[in-house]
Amino acid sequence: MLEFFGRFHPVFVHLPIGILLLACICIILSFWTRFSSLKPALPIMLLLGMLSAVVSCLTGYFLANGGDYDGKLVSNHQWMGISVAVLSLILLIIHQKVKSNVILGSISGVLIILISVTGHFGGSLTHGADYLTAPLKSDGAKVGAAIPPIANIQEAFVYQHAIQPLLKSRCYSCHGSEKQKGKLRLDQEVFILKGGEDGHTLVKGKADESELIKRLLLPLTHDDHMAPKEKPQLTANEIALLKWWIDNGADFKKKFKELPQPEIIKPVLAALQKGETVAGETTASEIPSEEVGAVDEKVLQQFTSLGISVFPVAQNTNYLSANFINAVSMGKEVQDLIKSIKKQLTWLKLENGKVTDQTLDAIKDCKNLTRLSLNYTAVTDAGLAKLKDLEQLQSLSLVGTKITANGINQLKKSKNLKFLYLYQTNINKADLLKIKKLLPKVSLDTGNYKVPLLAQDTAVLKAP
């Protein structure tokens, strides 16, 4: 309950700022005969200012105890606020008893300074400690760029040179050392992995299941959307970069060259190396331009109850991404649910051992589908025949399936197909040459990435 009252602090805090500043200015002006008519109004102004300062201190104390704030900055703001309340009370008591303009003017001047400094600390808590000075800094990054240019992208460290600067620019003001909204800190590895009050924010290897990504993709008007709508938003490329990092284990030590780099992430990395603002919409072509209606919330809840993750593919769109990796069933009930969102479904991960050729009957009418992953499913060549009418399909992943070259031949009419992932399938080198001739515009990814072994990757245990 006290935390509830604490949330009124931003409402009350502006009252003493305005009233006390006006009172102090009027006190100083009243020293001149032409403004002596202001004197009768001073007692009520000082009283209202003092009372609102006291209320602001109380609500601020309750808000700080809510656990969202920490560090020296909140302590400084708190004591400066108390000083404002105490000094305003002193000024209220003595302003009629003391006739010295020097004393009254000095106290008023000190109070103006205290109010200004207290307000600055409060603004720093809300917007970040360097909010005021950030525009004056020059670290080589372009204006508005969250990530500074990376000259040699492959030799750079993913977290240190890209992810951390991105989080610092877009997230630290709410989830840094001075403020932890939802008890979440994103400024250090240990806190990122710990998560916030809702549990793990980041699930290594599973970006679609990570709360961080889910909240980034919520509609801008949603209460849980990150970042708040009044603050700079992450671009599609920045979100793609985060997803790529998380999907590859969210490692805090590895370099870019040590992680697999599919075609979809290469434009993002190229933009970083060129020093361009990572703001391009790399996924824009994978989201239909014609908007569709929203899916009923009750339908989405049915997916959740079955262990299926469904969320928007980007901000401010009704198109959806669905992940079936934890689906408890792939029976008729689930297939009917898929059909109910056939217009909105555009990215689909059917990475579940229960998925068969029959399952694909449920998606053959998903005409807006652009990404489809069938990794480690029981899908065969016969099932691929059901995908031939998915004209918007751009990315198809068949890793770990029993697909052969005969199945791939059925995709020759897929005019928009750009990426095909064939690692651990029944397709050999000779088949790849035929597929390249059949699909000359498609990028074939056969896996077998070679990641160098570093000294720090090996732990040597010695007997005591």
Side-chain angles (χ1 to χ4, degrees), residues 318-373:
N318 291 324
Y319 286 105
L320 301 174
S321 172
N323 188 336
F324 285 72
I325 192 170
N326 293 320
V328 296
S329 168
M330 290 303 302
K332 185 178 184 302
E333 179 186 6
V334 174
Q335 293 181 38
D336 289 342
L337 276 177
I338 295 176
K339 293 176 182 178
S340 72
I341 62 170
K342 63 182 181 181
K343 292 182 179 179
Q344 292 84 4
L345 190 59
T346 186
W347 298 351
L348 177 59
K349 274 190 176 183
L350 283 175
E351 298 179 0
N352 191 303
K354 303 180 182 70
V355 174
T356 64
D357 291 342
Q358 183 180 359
T359 309
L360 300 187
D361 285 325
I363 69 169
K364 63 183 181 181
D365 292 325
C366 296
K367 302 300 183 181
N368 290 320
L369 199 64
T370 60
R371 287 189 194 179
L372 176 60
S373 179

Side-chain angles (χ1 to χ4, degrees), residues 25-285:
I25 292 172
C26 287
I27 287 174
I28 296 172
L29 288 175
S30 68
F31 297 160
W32 284 271
T33 305
R34 62 184 298 185
F35 294 110
S36 60
S37 59
L38 294 173
K39 291 182 179 180
L42 293 177
I44 188 63
M45 292 171 65
L46 289 172
L47 177 63
L48 291 175
M50 182 273 296
L51 291 175
S52 60
V54 172
V55 173
S56 295
C57 287
L58 290 173
T59 54
Y61 177 76
F62 297 149
L63 183 62
N65 283 345
D68 284 349
Y69 300 91
D70 190 19
K72 185 177 179 180
L73 192 59
V74 70
S75 178
N76 290 340
H77 178 60
Q78 173 181 307
W79 286 108
M80 293 297 287
I82 293 173
S83 300
V84 169
V86 171
L87 193 57
S88 63
L89 176 60
I90 293 173
L91 189 57
L92 172 64
I93 294 173
I94 71 170
H95 89 280
Q96 287 184 326
K97 297 181 180 180
V98 176
K99 303 300 181 182
S100 172
N101 291 345
V102 175
I103 295 176
L104 292 175
S106 297
I107 296 176
S108 297
V110 172
L111 187 54
I112 290 174
I113 294 173
L114 280 176
I115 292 171
S116 301
V117 175
T118 305
H120 169 68
F121 284 140
S124 297
L125 281 171
T126 304
H127 301 290
D130 63 344
Y131 177 73
L132 187 63
T133 58
L136 304 177
K137 296 179 181 179
S138 177
D139 57 2
K142 294 184 179 181
V143 176
I147 306 174
I150 304 175
N152 189 346
I153 190 74
Q154 296 303 327
E155 292 297 329
F157 291 93
V158 181
Y159 175 74
Q160 179 183 343
H161 295 108
I163 302 301
Q164 188 177 43
L166 175 59
L167 296 178
K168 181 179 180 180
S169 174
R170 300 290 188 246
C171 306
Y172 280 15
S173 62
C174 290
H175 305 287
S177 58
E178 282 84 24
K179 181 180 180 182
Q180 298 91 44
K181 188 175 181 181
K183 296 181 174 61
L184 173 64
R185 284 184 65 169
L186 296 174
D187 60 320
Q188 294 182 34
E189 176 182 349
V190 63
F191 297 122
I192 293 174
L193 297 179
K194 179 183 178 182
E197 62 185 5
D198 294 326
H200 293 295
T201 301
L202 183 152
V203 182
K204 287 188 174 184
K206 300 177 180 179
D208 290 339
E209 297 180 28
S210 298
E211 194 67 22
L212 175 63
I213 300 300
K214 289 182 179 180
R215 297 204 177 197
L216 287 172
L217 295 176
L218 287 172
L220 193 61
T221 55
H222 197 285
D223 291 341
D224 292 331
H225 171 79
M226 289 173 47
K229 61 182 179 180
E230 66 273 7
K231 295 189 176 184
Q233 301 296 308
L234 276 74
T235 66
N237 272 7
E238 289 167 352
I239 295 174
L241 183 68
L242 277 173
K243 290 185 68 174
W244 172 72
W245 175 63
I246 296 172
D247 277 333
N248 285 284
D251 193 281
F252 290 79
K253 305 294 183 184
K254 289 186 177 180
K255 295 182 177 181
F256 280 90
K257 68 179 182 181
E258 298 175 69
L259 299 182
Q261 296 173 16
E263 291 296 324
I264 197 169
I265 200 64
K266 288 181 179 179
V268 180
L269 305 187
L272 284 175
Q273 181 156 311
K274 293 176 183 177
E276 299 173 356
T277 301
V278 188
E281 297 290 329
T282 57
T283 58
S285 62

Side-chain angles (χ1 to χ4, degrees), residues 293-303 320 340-341 344:
V295 175
D296 189 285
E297 190 65 31
K298 293 181 179 180
V299 174
L300 297 179
Q301 290 175 0
Q302 291 181 55
F303 277 105
L320 301 174
S340 72
I341 62 170
Q344 292 84 4

